[in-house]
Amino acid sequence: MSEKILVIGANGQIGTELVNALRDKYGAEEVIASDINSPIYAIRHSGPFEFVNVLDKDNLHHIFTKHQPTQVYLLAAILSAVGEQKPKMAWDLNMTGLIQILDYAVEFGVKKVFWPSSIAVFGPHSPQENTPQYCVMDPNTVYGFSKLAGERWCEYYYEKHGLDVRSLRYPGLIGWRANPGGGTTDYAVHIFHEALKKGSYQSFLSANTALPMMYMDDAIRATITLMDTPAEQITIRSSYNLAGISFTPAQLAEEIKKLIPNFEISYAEHDPRQAIADSWPKSIDDSYAQKDWGWKLEYDLKTMTEDMLKNLKNVILA
């Protein structure tokens, strides 16, 4: 049986790259990109596209009826920093959207669903170093506790309905193909743009704020690898820890200086995103992902920085 894959939230930082990877793997016509807004030219013209509002049940039902997807990737969400500005909107989109997709996945017999969680599910009382898969989780942002609640719904639908839902707790994601979507880790993308455009950057996080990050190429590979893994190997139906590489703004700046020697970084004071970052882990234990489906990171800080600057330079100068 051929796959028919629906990606909801295709315009975002993850969706833009995931759609391309899935179309390369399954064929352009088998991957339906969808979003509430019109996408970049490449997404809309390399395969089918639908306008989808994840909160509109009639609209969603029409899309499921029309395409009969075998796999659904739900990426539509409001992220951490924006979520603190619009808390009720963030909760509604992140929760109601997920539950409606899970309901339709059961109704239409979808084989597999992917939904991204985040390191934001951890909180100030979670272990900050090498944060384990199972520990105290007391998130203090709307984004964080919507993701934690979402994890419980995903496991619930697996247990109660047999729905094959899979998830990753993404660290901060860094990529050059799309802009970030309003998260606390966005500095690690903005810094590359500003280094190339202006030779300087003011970080909204302090110099020594360590956070887990991951290059987008690794994140996309992890996502597809998880979805390709036989169901009997999946032991976690809430969401898998995914570690990435941990570094501070100062360490990233030093790596950029090796390639742009005159680059300078400064640090803002009293940015509200600092408090969010301070409540998150500094490093993550992803041994379950390694054991269950053979996860292995490819990019470290050095190779990520080199690849980001090389590719982003071409985009900015184009």
Side-chain angles (χ1 to χ4, degrees):
M1 178 182 172
S2 63
E3 299 287 351
K4 183 67 72 171
I5 299 169
L6 175 63
V7 181
I8 301 171
N11 287 1
Q13 187 188 16
I14 299 171
T16 302
E17 304 208 25
L18 184 60
V19 166
N20 288 328
L22 290 170
R23 284 177 173 170
D24 287 344
K25 180 177 174 66
Y26 292 102
E29 292 305 311
E30 308 308 315
V31 180
I32 302 99
S34 68
D35 203 281
I36 197 169
N37 298 310
S38 187
I40 61 171
Y41 182 90
I43 295 295
R44 186 155 192 179
H45 292 272
S46 64
F49 176 83
E50 296 277 6
F51 285 100
V52 168
N53 179 353
V54 76
L55 298 179
D56 184 336
K57 293 186 73 171
D58 292 339
N59 172 224
L60 277 179
H61 193 274
H62 168 72
I63 296 299
F64 273 77
T65 302
K66 178 179 177 180
H67 294 286
Q68 299 290 319
T70 59
Q71 294 186 35
V72 176
Y73 291 73
L74 173 58
L75 307 176
I78 292 179
L79 303 186
S80 57
V82 176
E84 292 308 287
Q85 298 165 17
K86 304 173 181 178
K88 292 179 181 177
M89 182 186 297
W91 175 260
D92 192 29
L93 177 63
N94 295 355
M95 271 302 80
T96 306
L98 170 61
I99 292 170
Q100 290 185 166
I101 292 299
L102 295 175
D103 281 338
Y104 282 137
V106 172
E107 179 182 338
F108 284 86
V110 173
K111 290 196 303 181
K112 285 186 277 191
V113 174
F114 177 81
W115 174 81
S117 189
S118 164
I119 60 169
V121 296
F122 301 110
H125 293 93
S126 305
Q128 287 207 319
E129 302 286 352
N130 213 29
T131 306
Q133 178 71 40
Y134 299 105
C135 64
V136 171
M137 300 166 79
D138 59 342
N140 54 12
T141 64
V142 175
Y143 179 64
F145 54 73
S146 71
K147 286 298 185 182
L148 183 54
E151 289 188 10
R152 309 318 311 148
W153 279 113
C154 288
E155 190 163 49
Y156 182 86
Y157 271 72
Y158 171 73
E159 296 290 346
K160 299 294 183 181
H161 301 286
L163 182 62
D164 189 349
V165 191
R166 307 180 183 198
S167 179
L168 295 169
R169 291 172 183 157
Y170 286 125
L173 298 180
I174 301 171
W176 57 270
R177 293 179 180 87
N179 292 324
T184 302
T185 56
D186 286 1
Y187 91 87
V189 178
H190 294 151
I191 191 172
F192 289 101
H193 287 260
E194 296 299 289
L196 289 167
K197 292 176 181 176
K198 300 195 305 189
S200 64
Y201 177 68
Q202 183 178 70
S203 172
F204 54 77
L205 296 183
S206 65
N208 297 315
T209 302
L211 287 171
M213 300 282 189
M214 180 173 283
Y215 197 39
M216 187 62 76
D217 291 37
D218 273 334
I220 298 300
R221 187 169 53 83
T223 305
I224 293 175
T225 300
L226 173 65
M227 290 295 277
D228 284 347
T229 298
E232 59 270 18
Q233 291 176 226
I234 306 296
T235 65
I236 292 171
R237 291 294 179 168
S238 52
S239 191
Y240 277 95
N241 272 7
L242 201 61
I245 44 179
S246 291
F247 55 82
T248 67
Q251 289 171 323
L252 179 54
E254 284 303 310
E255 206 61 46
I256 291 173
K257 284 182 183 180
K258 294 175 183 178
L259 299 169
I260 306 176
N262 295 327
F263 174 69
E264 295 181 357
I265 188 169
S266 59
Y267 301 94
E269 295 183 9
H270 310 303
D271 191 288
R273 288 167 287 191
Q274 183 65 51
I276 298 175
D278 289 342
S279 73
W280 287 358
K282 293 179 169 62
S283 58
I284 298 284
D285 172 12
D286 64 4
S287 54
Y288 279 88
Q290 296 176 40
K291 175 171 61 75
D292 288 359
W293 40 279
W295 168 244
K296 187 177 181 181
L297 196 70
E298 287 189 359
Y299 284 88
D300 59 17
L301 179 57
K302 178 178 183 293
T303 54
M304 178 201 73
T305 301
E306 291 171 347
D307 203 62
M308 270 292 288
L309 288 174
K310 179 185 72 174
N311 286 295
L312 199 55
K313 185 182 295 182
N314 293 333
V315 172
I316 289 173
L317 297 177

